[in-house]
Amino acid sequence: MLAAKPKRAVPVFDKLRVPAHYAFLYAASGKPTAMTDIAQLSKWNRDLSQAISALGTDAFFPALIAAIQGQVRFDYPQVWLYHKDLPPQVLYHEIPDNALASQVDTYLDGPYREDPFYQTSMNQPRSKFYRLSRITAGKLRETQYYRDYYADTGTVDEAIYLSRLRGSNVINVCMMRLPRHGTFTEQDYETLYLLAEPISELIKSHSEHDDFAVTHLIQPGIDHQVDLAFRTFGASLLSPREKDVLELMLRGYGTDTSADRLGIALETVRRHRKSIYRKLDVSSQTDLFSLFINSLTCLGQAAGDDPLRIYMAPSQ
Amino acid sequence: MLAAKPKRAVPVFDKLRVPAHYAFLYAASGKPTAMTDIAQLSKWNRDLSQAISALGTDAFFPALIAAIQGQVRFDYPQVWLYHKDLPPQVLYHEIPDNALASQVDTYLDGPYREDPFYQTSMNQPRSKFYRLSRITAGKLRETQYYRDYYADTGTVDEAIYLSRLRGSNVINVCMMRLPRHGTFTEQDYETLYLLAEPISELIKSHSEHDDFAVTHLIQPGIDHQVDLAFRTFGASLLSPREKDVLELMLRGYGTDTSADRLGIALETVRRHRKSIYRKLDVSSQTDLFSLFINSLTCLGQAAGDDPLRIYMAPSQ
DNA sequence: GCTTCAATGCCCCACCCGGGGCAGGTCACG
DNA sequence: CGTGACCTGCCCCGGGTGGGGCATTGAAGC
């Protein structure tokens, strides 16, 4: 199925010299159908949208791989995080069990350091798409990396999409070809190159969806926000112990139950409460609760920090 | 420039019946050039990548508008946030000054409520692309909305991309046509429809980036919810006067200041407080505040009603 | 060394809270 | 008509709150 593109010439098609990789748009008779044309572009956009909708979730990489496969078929899909300070990590793969050892385990034992893609990734890469033959300048077979490792993987061609992240980290989507599917054609490469920009940007965006503020500001409802408020309210002004006492107060614990919970005397809780009132400039628990509720309006701007900071300085 | 597509027939082109909107891919001589073909698809992917790379920033909507304009031209680009609980808000626009009043200010004075796009957006929309003529079933001119507002905007066609966000909020990209540019052709619509998926998903992803979420969704939501809570909390269980006293308590008023405000005796306020505690089954102001804060998690389900109804009956 | 802060804990005292009781007047409903 | 809910308001009393004071110990900074 991987070599599904028709090889025989289509008379009218040849005459027009439309690129070979659009050949599938035309019926065998040589007469193109408008719906087939639209359908193919529609497929790319539809698959791409699937990937976009999966941003920030575990389903993103499978969707991205499927979108690429929808344009050019390849073997052993794998997504690697090349970390500046750590060994490479597989974020996702579709490698069959019988090839897993050589593709991942053996690779990680050491050869990855000589991998031309890894070296390129770690040295300020400028492009978002690389072909193995180009970066090795046709000299792959002369390398130690080839003799010791690559020759045993059984692959005959390889290319990657590369996405540079913050902190000089890189995520690569690795695409290979086995002998029975043959090397990538020039048309394959042309198409893959064409898709490099959106793919690279999507991967970068995906990596930024793990940001704590996004996760905790979007995902949960008000209850999470309130929980966050319990933990952050007053943190910029109070001592750690005072924060403990305050959080219990806010959660409805009385003085005696707070003392039990913290394993301290009732009088100590009282002493902390007095300090809390003084530092937050209130004179009763009613005032305190009111301040807390009003500070909820500043949670967004505080972004995980103490909302009182914003509340007390509204002119920012 | 908007009618830049060549109108004259290209002999070979006609014979193949390739869709008219791909005509620009071919030179006047009728001989297509491979680079022109690739260049157009490349432009979409390049523009799309620009938008992807701008996700979460102010540059996103300009980039998105530019990407769409690169495929189909339209007038008065505007991006609207239709919030479930608040009036509509313009997130971005490219409306000239002389049309701003009718497009935005007048619209927000009231007509938006009768806008077919707004109504569609607020009622569980299923599609990601809508044409005005389709959702009005050709009856736009019979409506009050048309007579009172739309006829004065000077536009002859309109379509939107629609992206559903969390919480039943919606973002619409609004595209119009002025008389001098004519209505959208069927081919225009075909192209716009084709791009709906990635555009809608990108907008949704953009809204989930932290900066956008904080500014436009989370904070207004919290403010609105807390205010709503002050007004609705306990309403299903308390008398009108008890509600008055409770609301003042929640807003931080003490017994004496509540009495002043309501023009009643201190003892009356105390008597109401006792009734409140009995009806809400709490035994102190601390318990009451704690109940209030915990009930905030039920505001969504309560949908404007008393959140205590939900809080007390969690098995619903 | 001195000062400040933090954590812990004891004491005094004024005062408000919250439980209880009582009351009068109005209105709606069975 | 009787009952209950609502609104208003007065009183008693136990107990917790919140202001103040004092103390010890340890750590950090000048």
Side-chain angles (χ1 to χ4, degrees):
Chain A
M1 282 307 297
L2 204 57
K5 295 193 179 75
K7 295 291 190 183
R8 66 179 181 271
V10 180
V12 178
F13 171 73
D14 279 348
K15 182 177 172 186
L16 294 175
R17 289 170 41 213
V18 173
H21 68 267
Y22 276 110
F24 60 80
L25 299 179
Y26 300 86
S29 65
K31 291 180 183 289
T33 60
M35 291 312 300
T36 311
D37 188 341
I38 302 293
Q40 184 60 27
L41 185 55
S42 179
K43 180 170 172 56
W44 167 242
N45 278 331
R46 190 166 58 247
D47 291 344
L48 190 64
S49 302
Q50 287 278 356
I52 292 170
S53 71
L55 279 170
T57 75
D58 289 343
F60 172 72
F61 286 124
L64 186 68
I65 296 292
I68 303 169
Q69 296 272 32
Q71 305 297 317
V72 176
R73 300 309 302 266
F74 57 97
D75 304 299
Y76 296 173
Q78 35 192 305
V79 183
W80 287 88
L81 170 62
Y82 290 153
H83 193 286
K84 188 180 49 148
D85 303 314
L86 298 173
Q89 177 189 351
V90 189
L91 298 179
Y92 176 75
H93 75 84
E94 289 172 18
I95 303 165
D97 287 350
N98 62 4
L100 205 48
S102 72
Q103 288 293 326
V104 178
D105 300 336
T106 306
Y107 179 73
L108 282 176
D109 279 345
Y112 73 84
R113 295 191 189 84
E114 276 80 56
D115 178 5
F117 286 130
Y118 179 77
Q119 293 181 341
T120 299
S121 299
M122 292 292 99
N123 288 284
Q124 314 293 339
R126 309 178 81 86
S127 183
K128 298 175 180 179
F129 179 73
Y130 287 92
R131 309 160 56 162
L132 185 60
S133 55
R134 287 277 170 85
I135 62 175
T136 58
K139 297 194 172 129
L140 177 65
R141 289 173 183 256
E142 302 171 21
T143 62
Q144 190 79 2
Y145 170 72
Y146 182 83
R147 288 197 294 277
D148 289 353
Y149 170 74
Y150 198 82
D152 293 332
T153 60
T155 59
V156 295
D157 206 354
E158 190 175 351
I160 60 164
Y161 285 116
L162 184 152
S163 185
R164 294 177 64 177
L165 314 181
R166 292 197 188 124
S168 299
N169 301 322
V170 168
I171 289 180
N172 284 353
V173 176
C174 185
M175 299 166 285
M176 296 180 179
R177 277 283 179 80
L178 293 177
R180 66 178 182 272
H181 296 140
T183 58
F184 293 111
T185 65
E186 283 303 316
Q187 286 79 23
D188 289 335
Y189 276 123
E190 204 161 290
T191 299
L192 291 174
Y193 184 79
L194 193 61
L195 307 180
E197 276 284 337
I199 286 168
S200 178
E201 293 296 338
L202 277 177
I203 292 167
K204 185 163 183 283
S205 185
H206 176 66
S207 75
E208 288 167 356
H209 268 71
D210 291 336
D211 182 78
F212 171 83
V214 172
T215 302
H216 289 270
L217 287 174
I218 305 297
Q219 171 74 27
I222 299 289
D223 53 347
H224 174 78
Q225 295 302 303
V226 173
D227 193 62
L228 183 64
F230 282 145
R231 286 185 279 115
T232 56
F233 177 75
S236 63
L237 299 169
L238 304 177
S239 74
R241 203 57 164 168
E242 286 160 0
K243 269 294 297 126
D244 290 339
V245 171
L246 176 60
E247 190 167 337
L248 289 175
M249 284 171 75
L250 295 175
R251 291 186 188 270
Y253 287 81
T255 309
D256 51 351
T257 46
S258 297
D260 288 343
R261 252 185 107 89
L262 298 171
I264 52 178
L266 196 64
E267 280 299 330
T268 306
V269 173
R270 290 234 178 83
R271 174 50 57 195
H272 283 313
R273 286 167 71 131
K274 288 170 191 171
S275 298
I276 289 164
Y277 294 155
R278 175 173 48 83
K279 289 182 180 181
L280 300 189
D281 194 32
V282 296
S283 55
S284 67
Q285 195 170 357
T286 298
D287 284 347
L288 176 68
F289 272 72
S290 198
L291 183 63
F292 175 74
I293 292 170
N294 285 327
S295 80
L296 290 178
T297 65
C298 304
L299 275 167
Q301 289 181 56
D305 208 355
D306 182 2
L308 266 186
R309 275 223 175 108
I310 313 292
Y311 190 71
M312 299 297 195
S315 56
Q316 288 185 14
Chain B
M1 284 305 297
L2 202 55
K5 295 191 180 76
K7 297 293 189 183
R8 64 179 182 272
V10 181
V12 178
F13 170 74
D14 279 347
K15 180 176 173 185
L16 293 174
R17 292 170 35 211
V18 176
H21 69 263
Y22 276 107
F24 61 81
L25 297 179
Y26 299 88
S29 65
K31 292 180 182 293
T33 60
M35 292 312 299
T36 311
D37 189 338
I38 301 296
Q40 186 58 28
L41 184 57
S42 178
K43 178 172 173 57
W44 167 242
N45 278 331
R46 190 165 58 246
D47 291 344
L48 190 64
S49 303
Q50 286 279 355
I52 293 170
S53 70
L55 280 171
T57 75
D58 289 343
F60 172 72
F61 286 124
L64 185 70
I65 298 293
I68 304 170
Q69 295 272 32
Q71 306 296 319
V72 176
R73 301 308 304 264
F74 57 97
D75 304 298
Y76 295 172
Q78 37 194 304
V79 184
W80 287 89
L81 170 63
Y82 289 153
H83 196 288
K84 188 180 47 147
D85 303 313
L86 302 170
Q89 177 187 354
V90 190
L91 298 179
Y92 176 76
H93 74 84
E94 289 172 17
I95 304 165
D97 285 351
N98 63 3
L100 207 49
S102 70
Q103 288 293 327
V104 180
D105 300 337
T106 306
Y107 179 73
L108 282 176
D109 278 346
Y112 74 85
R113 293 191 191 85
E114 276 80 56
D115 179 6
F117 286 130
Y118 179 77
Q119 293 180 344
T120 299
S121 299
M122 293 289 102
N123 289 285
Q124 312 294 340
R126 309 180 81 88
S127 183
K128 297 175 179 178
F129 179 73
Y130 287 91
R131 309 159 57 161
L132 186 60
S133 55
R134 287 277 169 84
I135 61 175
T136 59
K139 296 195 172 118
L140 177 66
R141 286 171 184 260
E142 302 171 22
T143 63
Q144 189 79 0
Y145 171 71
Y146 182 81
R147 290 196 292 276
D148 289 353
Y149 170 74
Y150 198 82
D152 293 332
T153 61
T155 60
V156 296
D157 205 357
E158 189 173 351
I160 60 163
Y161 286 116
L162 183 151
S163 186
R164 294 177 66 177
L165 315 181
R166 294 170 193 265
S168 300
N169 302 320
V170 168
I171 288 181
N172 284 354
V173 175
C174 185
M175 299 168 287
M176 295 177 180
R177 278 284 179 82
L178 292 177
R180 67 178 180 271
H181 296 144
T183 58
F184 293 111
T185 66
E186 285 303 318
Q187 286 80 23
D188 288 337
Y189 277 124
E190 204 161 291
T191 299
L192 290 174
Y193 185 78
L194 192 61
L195 306 182
E197 277 284 339
I199 285 168
S200 178
E201 293 298 336
L202 276 177
I203 291 168
K204 184 162 185 283
S205 186
H206 176 65
S207 76
E208 290 166 357
H209 274 70
D210 55 350
D211 287 348
F212 180 89
V214 170
T215 306
H216 296 100
L217 296 178
I218 298 296
Q219 201 52 67
I222 292 178
D223 292 347
H224 176 79
Q225 297 288 66
V226 171
D227 193 62
L228 182 66
F230 281 143
R231 287 184 280 111
T232 56
F233 178 75
S236 63
L237 299 167
L238 304 177
S239 72
R241 204 56 167 169
E242 286 159 359
K243 269 293 299 132
D244 289 341
V245 171
L246 177 60
E247 189 166 340
L248 289 176
M249 284 172 74
L250 295 174
R251 291 185 189 270
Y253 287 80
T255 309
D256 51 353
T257 47
S258 297
D260 289 343
R261 246 183 115 88
L262 298 170
I264 53 178
L266 196 64
E267 281 297 330
T268 306
V269 173
R270 291 233 175 84
R271 174 47 60 195
H272 284 311
R273 287 168 71 132
K274 288 170 191 172
S275 298
I276 289 164
Y277 294 154
R278 175 172 49 78
K279 289 182 177 180
L280 300 191
D281 195 29
V282 296
S283 53
S284 69
Q285 195 169 357
T286 298
D287 284 347
L288 176 68
F289 272 73
S290 202
L291 184 63
F292 174 75
I293 291 169
N294 284 328
S295 78
L296 291 179
T297 64
C298 304
L299 279 166
Q301 288 183 58
D305 208 354
D306 181 1
L308 267 186
R309 275 223 174 108
I310 312 294
Y311 190 72
M312 299 296 192
S315 57
Q316 288 186 16

